[in-house]
Amino acid sequence: MAATGEKTRAKATGGNGGKGRGRFFHTKGRQADPAALAEVRALLADRPRRRDLLIEHLHLLNDAFGHLSARHLDALAREMRLAQAEVYEVATFYHHFEVVKEGGAAPPATVIRVCDSLTCALLGAERLIAELGRRAGPGVRVLRAPCIGACDRAPAAACARGQVAPADAGAVLAALERGRAGPEGLRPVGLAAYRAAGGYRTLADVRGGTRGREDVLAALDSSGLKGLGGAGFPPARKWRFVIAGPKPRYLAVNADEGEPGTFKDRVCLERDPHRVLEGALIAAAAIEAEAVYLYLRDEYPWLHDILAREIAAIEEAGLGGGVAIELRRGAGAYICGEESAMLESIEGRRGYPRHKPPFPAQVGLFGRPTAINNVETLYWVRDILEKGPDWFAAQGANGAKGLRMYSVSGRVKEPGVKIAPAGVTARELIERYSGGMAEGHSFKGYLPGGASGGILPATMADIPLDFGRLEAHGCFVGSAAVIVLSQADSAAAAALNLMRFFEHESCGQCTPCRVGTEKASALMAGRTWDAALLKELSQAMRDASICGLGQAAPNPLLSVLKFFPEEVT
């Protein structure tokens, strides 16, 4: 022991009895600025310094200072006992964090993000970007942004912790002047009104044993309810996989709808947040989850305020039943809508999709069995249990079961979320639910499932919009985002817009997606397309990409080659 002690002291003093400076005399690495450290500590206050809260803490800094400086990132790493590289790699991954390198000038704090994804592009996004660029002052940045979930009110812009939609330059600049943007007039059903209408009684029955776990699972199974985030996997089957695993278990609610054309989850939460929260707590009771993590996209800041308030009301009313509901904020990364990338983000990391297997139901959040459900999936749970699975199943059309929320946008008179029978056709959605085509426009084609669901011509508008019905045509219904095109639109230009979206949103983890989307965008930008090369590239992306982004990104371009060849030859 004495010898070891001597070695330790020698190492600490440079190995020469304290004479001379020695390589171990000074603390290594960049030192945190004391003022920055004080600012970080003041912002974090008594919040836990856990690793999984890194993104939440980065939001605090970004909101407070308008950017993330090197000095604040260094101080945050010191305060959270993390390597500086860990903090920096997370901060630079997400679009909504503005990282300024050491010695760099702070950017203007005022930011306008104008959506340039498909529906907004159809309805004037480029004109809006150009006009704002001319009229916005020197202290304002005008940035292009991927879909911000306001396709029903396109074109749209985000600023002042809200959205202006439909937007023109005057309305956007007026919102900045007020320091507040919409949406206006939201009246979500609060806890008192929800309970007065019977809310949380079903949850009480499940917890109290009046309605057992197997009853719940059997009802969901026979109702035909599928996962409505895009994959269509039956939730009851997923819950059974989780139940088979050891405790503790978790439930993760995916409210990160970033697919261009999709906004149904936003509408669910704006109108009736407790219906979703009760569905989540019923799911948590069924799988005996220790906690619920609700991951909300950062493009909906007003929803964050609503949910934070209503979750606090649930806790105050004692309705949580010992299950904590943690609200987590995304940071502008479409990839985090992929379930395993979302789990990585909740854990405070970059949103890199995980290799599967193992699947999240076995090894999910924090390495524990985790059920992941979409907002709309949970929205229907209470109705199915109260009205019965037969009621829900009978609502479908054309051989499908249940109801669905279709996000309809583009060239229709009345865009919006349409609650319609699963299996409804695009023609019925346009004519019966959306007031027909917009004035002066005739029906040319449609996207049945958002950016990755492919593009079909109007002659194929009578195919039921349901899982398994579109795949034979190279398309799928996905999250049921239906974007309608007219004679004024180019299917090829639409496909290029979508590929550029995928190029921007690729996480970069795998080469087929990272390089493939970039190469495809370049090839599609020409007046004529090299069909053989694009098909070969698409196959490589489908075969070798880690997750659904790269696997499905080629669908729109392949649809154009198949159904609209005259536009690219």
Side-chain angles (χ1 to χ4, degrees):
M1 290 296 292
T4 302
E6 289 298 326
K7 287 182 181 178
T8 302
R9 283 193 292 274
K11 189 174 183 181
T13 58
N16 59 2
K19 301 173 184 178
R21 301 181 62 170
R23 61 177 295 199
F24 296 101
F25 187 77
H26 296 288
T27 305
K28 297 195 299 181
R30 193 205 311 261
Q31 301 307 297
D33 180 315
L37 191 57
E39 289 168 341
V40 166
R41 286 172 175 166
L43 276 175
L44 266 56
D46 60 352
R47 293 176 176 86
R49 269 60 166 171
R50 299 195 317 265
R51 176 66 172 80
D52 63 290
L53 292 174
L54 174 57
I55 293 173
E56 296 295 307
H57 297 343
L58 288 170
H59 273 303
L60 289 174
L61 284 169
N62 203 65
D63 291 347
F65 298 100
H67 65 282
L68 297 172
S69 65
R71 58 193 288 271
H72 282 134
L73 292 178
D74 294 344
L76 182 62
R78 167 85 173 266
E79 186 66 11
M80 295 187 70
R81 297 175 181 264
L82 294 172
Q84 292 167 1
E86 289 184 81
V87 174
Y88 187 81
E89 72 177 10
V90 172
T92 54
F93 180 85
Y94 294 92
H95 302 316
H96 289 186
F97 292 143
E98 187 72 39
V99 178
V100 177
K101 296 181 179 179
E102 188 170 11
T110 302
V111 179
I112 301 170
R113 289 186 168 89
V114 180
C115 174
D116 67 353
S117 289
L118 183 54
T119 303
C120 285
L122 296 178
L123 297 174
E126 292 301 324
R127 293 191 301 274
L128 178 59
I129 292 168
E131 187 174 357
L132 283 170
R134 291 192 301 268
R135 295 179 56 181
V140 178
R141 285 181 296 159
V142 179
L143 304 177
R144 292 175 177 271
C147 185
I148 61 174
C151 319
D152 53 332
R153 302 173 310 218
C159 63
R161 290 204 80 247
Q163 292 180 351
V164 180
D168 57 54
V172 173
L173 296 175
L176 287 183
E177 185 71 22
R178 294 193 307 271
R180 178 175 53 83
E184 305 292 344
L186 292 180
R187 292 182 175 81
V189 177
L191 179 59
Y194 183 76
R195 295 187 76 179
Y200 292 105
R201 291 180 190 169
T202 301
L203 173 63
D205 288 344
V206 173
R207 284 178 174 163
T210 304
R211 186 187 292 271
R213 171 197 285 170
E214 282 306 316
D215 290 340
V216 171
L217 296 173
L220 295 183
D221 268 336
S222 60
S223 72
L225 179 67
K226 296 178 180 177
L228 300 176
F233 194 85
R237 193 183 307 173
K238 184 181 294 186
W239 295 0
R240 285 192 175 95
F241 288 146
V242 175
I243 292 165
K247 296 179 182 179
R249 306 172 188 136
Y250 297 107
L251 172 72
V253 182
N254 192 339
D256 192 61
E257 56 174 1
E259 182 88 358
T262 307
F263 47 92
K264 62 187 177 64
D265 294 346
R266 184 204 86 214
V267 172
C268 284
L269 294 170
E270 282 178 344
R271 296 176 179 173
D272 205 353
H274 283 283
R275 191 169 294 271
V276 178
L277 293 170
E278 182 175 12
L281 288 172
I282 289 170
I287 66 173
E288 298 181 21
E290 184 175 280
V292 173
Y293 288 80
L294 199 163
Y295 188 88
L296 178 70
R297 69 182 311 210
D298 198 36
E299 287 80 358
Y300 299 157
W302 66 95
L303 270 183
H304 189 280
D305 296 341
I306 291 171
L307 288 169
R309 181 182 69 235
E310 299 306 325
I311 290 169
I314 287 173
E315 293 174 351
E316 186 177 349
L319 294 170
V323 176
I325 304 177
E326 290 211 25
L327 179 60
R328 293 297 178 88
R329 181 177 168 188
Y334 163 74
I335 191 63
C336 291
E338 194 277 336
E339 61 178 15
S340 65
M342 180 188 68
L343 298 182
E344 289 288 303
S345 191
I346 292 173
E347 292 179 6
R349 307 179 194 281
R350 292 175 293 178
Y352 277 177
R354 299 174 181 176
H355 292 272
K356 303 172 187 176
F359 294 94
Q362 302 160 311
V363 181
L365 195 57
F366 310 118
R368 309 306 305 170
T370 305
I372 302 173
N373 291 119
N374 164 261
V375 166
E376 189 195 351
T377 306
L378 296 171
Y379 179 93
W380 292 114
V381 168
R382 177 188 164 191
D383 275 343
I384 290 170
L385 296 181
E386 290 184 0
K387 298 179 181 179
D390 293 341
W391 165 83
F392 187 78
Q395 305 303 310
N398 298 311
K401 291 184 177 182
L403 293 167
R404 283 209 72 170
M405 297 183 183
Y406 293 87
S407 304
V408 182
S409 66
R411 306 294 191 177
V412 294
K413 285 182 181 177
E414 301 168 7
V417 170
K418 313 299 178 181
I419 298 179
V424 70
T425 67
R427 196 178 310 280
E428 290 171 320
L429 275 178
I430 294 168
E431 295 176 357
R432 292 180 51 197
Y433 292 87
S434 305
M437 295 293 294
E439 200 67 37
H441 291 269
S442 58
F443 187 24
K444 174 181 178 175
Y446 67 105
L447 284 73
S452 54
I455 307 174
L456 291 171
T459 54
M460 299 176 69
D462 296 310
I463 303 170
L465 297 176
D466 192 32
F467 298 107
R469 308 295 285 272
L470 297 157
E471 282 76 0
H473 307 288
C475 299
F476 55 78
V477 71
S479 60
V482 179
I483 304 175
V484 179
L485 306 177
S486 79
Q487 86 287 351
D489 307 314
S490 161
L496 176 57
N497 177 286
L498 299 172
M499 187 58 73
R500 286 175 173 162
F501 167 81
F502 291 126
E503 178 187 1
H504 182 264
E505 293 300 312
S506 172
C507 75
Q509 180 181 192
C510 69
T511 302
C513 177
R514 181 184 68 249
V515 178
T517 53
E518 180 182 5
K519 181 67 173 177
S521 293
L523 290 170
M524 295 165 69
R527 182 167 296 181
T528 59
W529 290 5
D530 186 334
L533 184 55
L534 280 169
K535 288 178 180 178
E536 182 181 355
L537 178 61
S538 297
Q539 194 61 50
M541 292 171 65
R542 285 178 160 181
D543 289 344
S545 294
I546 290 173
C547 80
L549 191 155
Q551 294 162 9
N555 287 344
L557 82 84
L558 294 172
S559 294
V560 171
L561 291 173
K562 184 175 182 180
F563 300 115
F564 305 91
E566 70 282 358
E567 294 192 11
V568 293
T569 55

